[in-house]
């Protein structure tokens, strides 16, 4: 029997107890529904990853490229032909399934703890890390370049074709066998290290493990740099997303190392270690040159934060910190700056979905309709130059106005502009600015999710075997559907009260603390966010 309080009607006590019991049942029912939904979405994403491991290697076949192993039959025996239309169709369906499951989990990210998100990421990453390189043959080029360094040849002066008929060469795309390495000395050093095993298959496994380790660094940095209210969403946007899992982990691209160094640099900057941050950002530049924009942002911000009479000393210290990784790499790599002469190697390829290429195509078609014949190759070169000049102008404007936004926002916006307006655009280039933008704007999850989804459907190998228009149509349809769905949720007020964020996001001025020549711990990194009101959402899972 319940306790009786004198002066309180028994009916009132019974009503209160009944209301409490109903609320408890509703909460338990909601938790069960969320559990079923999350488990179902995680299982669907795992199914998509497994199907991609099964079909992804076959869809990335290139005539003349023979992988060093069939990978337990996943790649077929001696497969050298072009991918079949069936493989391309299955690949699209698997990617769509993974993207949809990821969106479902992202919608309810506020009710998930970071540990649950990391568990889902580990489940999805396992088949991708254990399987063969997916969606790209670049990993085989990494091994060939590392093998060149292992036998004493400079990959900046000798192309993979110098390996003749070696097993290290057979898996390389014939289109790139005569191209020099465009990657920095840190990438070449790691390529050399992984090929010391003498076994191409074991070396590929090491590349996957290295990518997995780098993504773990990114996840740990995001956890420390993101507001607790947005940590789960930040992990889903920055690490556990289809673009990163497929193009960075599954394909074992060097972007894994680049984004890990950038994330670690932002963490060091946040903890008031600016010189360490510049060393890490400079090391990222030794992987791929576009990361040099991050070094410029950190250096300018550091110098401006110093007292006027100490800015010369601050400039010297920052420059020394940026040069230190290159001096150290010079002891291990004989020609650390040799990649500068091979930066034009990616230009040999032509990505039809790059904005500069689309502009050249549009101008050429308009000229043809007008009856004016315009050679396409000079027109494409001109559009590429225009794109690079535009990207340089935007990056200079971002540097000049850096005090109006956080360091992470400036770096992310600049690297994303460089990726989009560059001569060629590959989907993994989008990860350059993704991690800094997630750190700066974790609340803009729907806009970032649309960008990630569109890039994920870009340049899927094997899709051209279906029809030239299908990949483009799928990307356009996916963009329209996701944008409409995001706008609808925003209009309905899907966010808790008090957390509506307009687009474009408002800019807050940076507070520069004049306490010596080191920036304050949180200076120019994270914008303030408003906490959700109590009771506006169901209780967060504590797992």
């Amino acid at each position: 029997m319940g306790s009786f309080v004198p002066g309180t009607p028994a009916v009132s006590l019974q009503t209160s107890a009944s209301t409490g019991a109903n609320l408890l049942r509703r909460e338990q029912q909601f938790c069960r529904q969320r559990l079923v939904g999350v488990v179902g979405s995680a299982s669907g994403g795992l199914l998509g990853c497994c199907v991609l491991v099964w079909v992804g290697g076959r869809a990335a076949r290139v005539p003349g490229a023979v992988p060093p192993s069939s990978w337990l039959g996943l790649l077929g025996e001696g497969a050298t032909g072009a991918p079949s239309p069936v493989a391309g169709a299955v690949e699209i369906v698997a990617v769509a399934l993974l993207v949809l499951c990821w969106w479902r989990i992202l919608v309810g990210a506020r009710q998930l703890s970071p540990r649950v998100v990391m568990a889902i990421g580990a489940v999805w990453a396992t088949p991708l890390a254990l399987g063969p390189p997916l969606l790209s043959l670049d990993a085989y080029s990494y091994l060939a370049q590392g093998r060149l360094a292992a036998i004493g040849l400079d990959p900046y002066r000798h192309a993979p074709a110098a390996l003749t008929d070696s097993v290290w060469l057979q898996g390389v795309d014939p289109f790139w066998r005569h191209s020099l390495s465009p990657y920095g000395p840190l990438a070449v050093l790691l390529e050399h290290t992984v090929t010391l095993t003498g076994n191409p298959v074991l070396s590929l496994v090491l590349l996957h493990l290295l990518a997995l380790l780098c993504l773990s660094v990114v996840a740990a940095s995001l956890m420390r740099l993101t507001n607790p209210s947005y940590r789960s969403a930040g992990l889903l946007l920055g690490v556990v997303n289809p673009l990163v899992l497929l193009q960075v982990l599954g394909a074992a691209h060097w972007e894994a190392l680049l984004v890990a160094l950038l994330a670690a640099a932002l963490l060091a900057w946040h903890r008031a270690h600016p010189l360490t941050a510049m060393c890490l950002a400079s090391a990222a530049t030794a992987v791929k040159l576009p990361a040099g924009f991050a070094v410029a942002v950190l250096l300018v911000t550091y110098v401006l934060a110093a007292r006027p009479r100490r800015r010369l000393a601050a400039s010297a210290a920052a420059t020394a910190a940026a040069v230190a990784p290159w001096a150290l790499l010079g002891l291990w790599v004989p020609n650390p700056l040799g990649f500068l002469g091979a930066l034009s190697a990616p230009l040999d390829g032509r990505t039809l979905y790059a904005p500069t290429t689309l502009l050249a195509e549009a101008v050429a078609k308009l000229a043809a309709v007008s009856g004016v014949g315009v050679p396409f190759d000079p027109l494409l070169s001109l559009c590429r130059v225009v794109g690079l000049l535009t990207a340089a102008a935007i990056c200079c404007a971002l540097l000049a106005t850096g005090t109006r936004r956080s360091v992470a926002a400036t770096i992310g916006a600049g690297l994303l502009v460089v990726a989009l307006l560059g001569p060629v655009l590959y989907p993994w280039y989008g990860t350059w600015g993704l991690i800094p933008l997630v750190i700066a704007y974790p609340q803009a999850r729907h806009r970032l999710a649309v960008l990630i989804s569109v890039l994920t459907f870009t340049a899927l190998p094997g899709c051209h075997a279906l029809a030239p228009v299908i990949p483009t149509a799928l990307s356009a349809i996916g963009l329209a559907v996701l944008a409409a769905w995001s706008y609808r949720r925003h209009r309905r007020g899907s966010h808790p009260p008090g957390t509506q964020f307009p687009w474009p996001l408002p800019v807050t001025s940076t507070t520069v603390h004049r306490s010596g020549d080191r920036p304050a711990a949180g200076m120019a990194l994270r914008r303030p966010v408003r906490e959700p009101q109590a009771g506006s959402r169901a209780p967060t899972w504590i797992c």
Side-chain angles (χ1 to χ4, degrees), residues 19 140 476:
T19 302
Y140 300 108

Side-chain angles (χ1 to χ4, degrees), residues 112-211:
L112 298 178
S113 70
R115 284 188 290 182
V116 172
V117 175
M118 292 307 300
I120 295 173
V123 169
W124 288 357
T126 298
L128 300 175
L130 297 178
L134 304 177
L135 309 179
S136 172
L137 300 182
D138 286 356
Y140 300 108
S141 296
Y142 301 162
L143 297 187
Q145 293 159 6
R147 188 60 180 173
L148 286 172
I151 63 177
L153 298 179
D154 187 356
Y156 298 142
R157 294 192 176 97
H158 298 84
L163 296 174
T164 62
D165 293 331
S166 170
V167 67
W168 300 91
L169 175 66
Q170 295 176 0
V172 180
D173 188 338
F175 186 83
W176 301 110
R177 288 183 180 179
H178 297 278
S179 300
L180 301 179
S181 173
Y183 308 111
L186 180 56
V188 169
L189 178 61
L190 292 175
E191 289 170 351
H192 181 191
T193 303
V194 298
T195 54
L196 293 178
T197 60
N199 187 329
V201 178
L202 182 56
S203 299
L204 288 172
V205 173
L206 291 179
L207 284 179
H208 272 144
L209 293 178
L210 177 61

Side-chain angles (χ1 to χ4, degrees), residues 134-500:
L134 304 177
L135 309 179
S136 172
L137 300 182
D138 286 356
Y140 300 108
S141 296
Y142 301 162
L143 297 187
Q145 293 159 6
R147 188 60 180 173
L148 286 172
I151 63 177
L153 298 179
D154 187 356
Y156 298 142
R157 294 192 176 97
H158 298 84
L163 296 174
T164 62
D165 293 331
S166 170
V167 67
W168 300 91
L169 175 66
Q170 295 176 0
V172 180
D173 188 338
F175 186 83
W176 301 110
R177 288 183 180 179
H178 297 278
S179 300
L180 301 179
S181 173
Y183 308 111
L186 180 56
V188 169
L189 178 61
L190 292 175
E191 289 170 351
H192 181 191
T193 303
V194 298
T195 54
L196 293 178
T197 60
N199 187 329
V201 178
L202 182 56
S203 299
L204 288 172
V205 173
L206 291 179
L207 284 179
H208 272 144
L209 293 178
L210 177 61
L212 197 60
L213 176 62
C214 291
L215 293 182
S216 301
V217 172
V218 174
S221 301
L222 281 173
M223 286 287 291
R224 288 163 175 79
L225 290 171
T226 309
N227 186 281
S229 300
Y230 298 105
R231 281 178 180 170
S232 297
L235 289 174
L236 285 167
L237 291 170
V239 181
V240 188
N241 71 69
L243 179 63
V244 170
L245 291 176
L246 298 181
Q247 298 291 358
V248 175
L249 176 60
H253 282 116
W254 282 128
E255 271 64 21
L257 180 60
L258 186 148
V259 298
L261 290 171
L262 287 181
L266 289 174
L267 179 60
W269 180 269
H270 176 65
R271 296 194 169 182
H273 300 294
L275 299 182
T276 302
M278 270 176 276
C279 283
L280 292 170
S282 181
T285 307
V287 179
K288 286 194 172 183
L289 188 61
F293 179 72
V295 179
V297 173
L298 295 178
L299 190 148
V300 170
T301 307
Y302 177 72
V303 173
L304 292 178
R307 297 177 184 274
R309 63 175 178 271
R310 294 182 57 86
R311 284 181 179 173
L312 183 61
S315 301
T319 304
V323 171
W326 291 85
L328 184 61
L329 288 170
L331 302 176
W332 296 90
V333 180
N335 186 19
L337 298 178
F339 74 101
L340 295 177
L343 289 178
S344 61
L347 303 184
D348 296 336
R350 182 177 298 175
T351 51
L352 300 178
Y353 43 85
T356 52
T357 306
L358 292 175
L359 177 61
E361 292 279 358
V363 173
K365 290 190 180 297
L366 288 175
V369 170
S370 303
V372 180
V374 179
F376 183 75
D377 288 340
L379 178 61
L380 178 61
S381 299
L382 177 61
C383 290
R384 286 177 168 178
V385 171
V386 170
L388 287 175
L389 292 177
T390 305
I394 294 175
C395 288
C396 290
L398 289 172
L399 276 175
T401 59
T403 55
R404 301 180 184 178
R405 67 188 69 84
S406 66
V407 166
T410 303
I411 292 174
L415 291 180
L416 187 61
V417 166
V418 170
L420 294 178
L421 297 182
V424 292
L425 172 62
Y426 293 102
W428 50 91
Y429 287 5
T431 60
W432 299 348
L434 177 62
I435 304 302
L437 287 177
V438 170
I439 294 173
Y441 305 123
Q443 65 274 18
R445 55 178 180 173
H446 293 111
R447 285 82 180 178
L448 293 173
V450 170
L451 174 65
I452 292 169
S453 302
V454 173
L455 289 174
T456 301
F457 281 104
T458 303
L460 291 178
C463 295
H464 62 276
L466 298 173
V469 73
I470 287 182
T472 304
L474 284 175
S475 298
I477 293 173
L479 173 61
V481 171
L482 293 177
W485 184 84
S486 174
Y487 178 76
R488 181 184 178 189
R489 285 187 58 83
H490 180 75
R491 292 288 294 176
R492 287 187 173 185
S494 58
H495 294 289
T499 59
Q500 294 288 345

Side-chain angles (χ1 to χ4, degrees), residues 503-521:
W503 185 265
L505 292 169
V507 176
T508 58
S509 60
T510 303
T511 302
V512 179
H513 298 269
R514 302 288 184 182
S515 55
D517 55 1
R518 295 203 316 172

